[in-house]
Amino acid sequence: MNWNTDLNGIPCGSMVTRTVTTKDGIKKYDDFQPDFVILASKCGKVIKSYWIRDERRFAGFKQGEQPVAWMRWPRHPFPSEASLTPP
């Protein structure tokens, strides 16, 4: 994986529809699901982070502070085989 310096391309997350069962029946609502990323700071640190939507900043960075580069957080190469179902 290579570092990307295009800060406009950092994946922040997406809205997903969640379904819950309540005493009044099934309810659906939209919820923000952040994407995990690897960020490099100007002070030389590399951290796993995600977008905090309400605060409009990345976790580990102060308001108004930006990373200098980013990478996608890797995903398991075989997600269907990685489930935690008991034998």
Side-chain angles (χ1 to χ4, degrees), residues 1 4-5 13 21-22 26-28 31 46 64-65 68 70 74 86:
M1 294 172 54
N4 190 332
T5 56
T21 304
T22 68
I26 295 174
K27 303 285 183 183
K28 290 185 179 185
D31 190 26
V46 174
E65 191 177 8
V68 294
W70 65 276

Side-chain angles (χ1 to χ4, degrees), residues 38-77:
I38 303 167
L39 299 179
S41 71
K42 65 182 177 186
C43 63
K45 293 182 182 179
V46 174
I47 62 170
K48 177 182 179 183
S49 186
Y50 58 92
W51 182 248
I52 303 173
R53 187 171 167 237
D54 294 338
E55 297 179 23
R56 302 192 52 76
R57 67 178 181 89
F58 284 98
F61 288 80
K62 293 190 294 187
Q63 189 74 33
E65 191 177 8
Q66 296 255 354
V68 294
W70 65 276
M71 285 187 206
R72 289 191 181 274
W73 185 257
R75 297 180 189 252
H76 193 283

